[in-house]
Amino acid sequence: MSRAAGTEGFVFNHTMIRVKDPKPSLEFYQACRDLYHRIISSDFLSECLGHDIDTQSVVSFGVAEGMCSPWIKFTAMPADSFTLYFLGYDHGGDSVNESHLASREELTHNHGTESDESFQGYASGNTEPGRGFGHIAISVPDIEAACKRFEELGVPFKKRLTDGKMKNIAFILDPDGYWVEALISGTEVAQVNIPALTGDMGILSKHEAIIEELRPGVVEVKTLDGQSKKWFVSGGFATMHPHNELTVNVVEAAPLEDFSPEAVKANLAEANRVANGTGPEKDKAEARVEVGVLEALQYALKA
């Protein structure tokens, strides 16, 4: 998709959230997400410059520390009422270069909130009052390994991989109650086989751009080292993008190995009973859909 005129150089920069106490927040984000961070405070800058900072003053500088060379931009504010913490992932580079740092998160600490007994904390955005802001999200190459690490660190979960219907995402909570989503990032693979509505299809590198509706069946991912991973999906869409990226969006998905053939057989018998019964048409229609999905699942387990 072409960009609107005048926006060619626009890049997402950062999102800011307020924190009550920076110490546990920084410990959380560094331990759970291994983020590099740099601290910007108004009083620190005033001392360095020898005078108060204008509210519109914008300062840019780089700090090299080993292989971590983030380039930080910030707007300084007067007095000593707050500190800003910029966090982000450094993706390499031997020199200070802003392009090496991915989209950032800014933690704002208003001095005094950490010791104010009357301050109850900030709204996370997911409860009333104050519902609005949703969550922060990070992409990880191995969602199960990431969640295991969170468990070992004692991080509280809002949603584990096993909760709900969406088995490929998890939510953890930071010290202020903000939701942090962990989801699978893209990774290079050898081939992806999809159950397209038009027939089974193998997607290789540099496949032509397509959009395919998926029927109930197995999505198989063949990794570069020759391994095969299979998920059963109830339906959805697969999109091969022009820049050699495949995205698969489904309603429900789970590793094929997690299903019990006996449970599938029992559920299929019950769905057939309802579909062929004398109950309400709505129940019968839903049962017929279940039959189609369960038959495909049963076939996949026998293959």
Side-chain angles (χ1 to χ4, degrees):
M1 178 183 296
S2 60
R3 301 184 64 162
T7 68
E8 294 82 358
F10 289 16
V11 177
F12 181 81
N13 192 278
H14 71 270
T15 295
M16 184 275 275
I17 58 175
R18 295 179 178 86
V19 299
K20 179 179 179 179
D21 187 341
K23 186 176 185 298
S25 293
L26 288 173
E27 289 176 351
F28 169 85
Y29 284 106
Q30 290 182 86
C32 294
R33 298 166 62 180
D34 195 23
L35 296 174
Y36 295 112
H37 78 278
R38 293 295 178 268
I39 304 172
I40 312 302
S41 62
S42 54
D43 52 342
F44 164 77
L45 291 174
S46 296
E47 292 173 3
C48 290
L49 295 174
H51 58 78
D52 290 339
I53 302 168
D54 182 76
T55 58
Q56 301 302 316
S57 174
V58 178
V59 185
S60 300
F61 70 97
V63 181
E65 182 178 304
M67 292 301 292
C68 172
S69 305
W71 182 254
I72 299 174
K73 291 185 177 180
F74 60 92
T75 301
M77 301 294 286
D80 58 349
S81 59
F82 69 91
T83 301
L84 309 181
Y85 300 83
F86 287 82
L87 304 95
Y89 291 105
D90 181 16
H91 292 282
D94 296 326
S95 60
V96 175
N97 187 330
E98 186 176 6
S99 65
H100 292 152
L101 196 62
S103 301
R104 283 150 287 190
E105 181 180 351
E106 174 189 344
L107 307 183
T108 296
H109 170 227
N110 292 305
H111 298 172
T113 55
E114 73 283 4
S115 57
D116 185 352
E117 295 182 359
S118 65
F119 182 68
Q120 300 300 310
Y122 296 105
S124 70
N126 291 290
T127 57
E128 299 293 357
R131 187 183 296 272
F133 175 79
H135 61 268
I136 304 158
I138 56 171
S139 298
V140 298
D142 188 330
I143 188 69
E144 293 181 353
C147 287
K148 181 181 179 182
R149 184 166 182 268
F150 297 153
E151 292 276 10
E152 293 171 348
L153 291 169
V155 174
F157 278 77
K158 180 64 181 179
K159 177 198 175 300
R160 287 179 166 79
L161 291 176
T162 53
D163 298 335
K165 294 183 177 181
M166 302 179 72
K167 307 298 185 182
N168 59 342
I169 63 172
F171 283 90
I172 56 178
L173 299 173
D174 86 346
D176 287 273
Y178 293 115
W179 295 16
V180 181
E181 178 184 5
L183 65 160
I184 302 173
S185 63
T187 186
E188 188 174 355
V189 299
Q191 181 176 340
V192 179
N193 298 323
I194 60 173
L197 197 62
T198 55
D200 291 345
M201 180 181 298
I203 307 294
L204 297 170
S205 178
K206 298 181 180 180
H207 193 286
E208 63 177 349
I210 57 168
I211 299 178
E212 290 287 340
E213 184 177 355
L214 303 180
R215 68 181 194 279
V218 174
V219 171
E220 179 184 17
V221 177
K222 294 186 176 181
T223 60
L224 294 176
D225 59 3
Q227 297 185 48
S228 172
K229 298 181 180 180
K230 297 180 179 181
W231 288 266
F232 182 82
V233 302
S234 60
F237 288 89
T239 304
M240 185 65 185
H241 302 275
H243 52 278
N244 202 35
E245 178 182 341
L246 174 69
T247 57
V248 179
N249 299 295
V250 299
V251 179
E252 294 178 301
L256 186 61
E257 61 193 36
D258 289 356
F259 291 98
S260 163
E262 293 76 18
V264 173
K265 182 179 179 180
N267 287 331
L268 178 56
E270 175 60 18
N272 271 313
R273 184 190 67 78
V274 175
N276 298 316
T278 58
E281 283 301 318
K282 179 177 180 295
D283 292 346
K284 294 169 67 174
E286 291 178 353
R288 284 193 289 271
V289 173
E290 285 188 42
V291 167
V293 173
L294 291 168
E295 285 181 342
L297 178 52
Q298 190 175 63
Y299 175 81
L301 290 170
K302 291 180 179 179

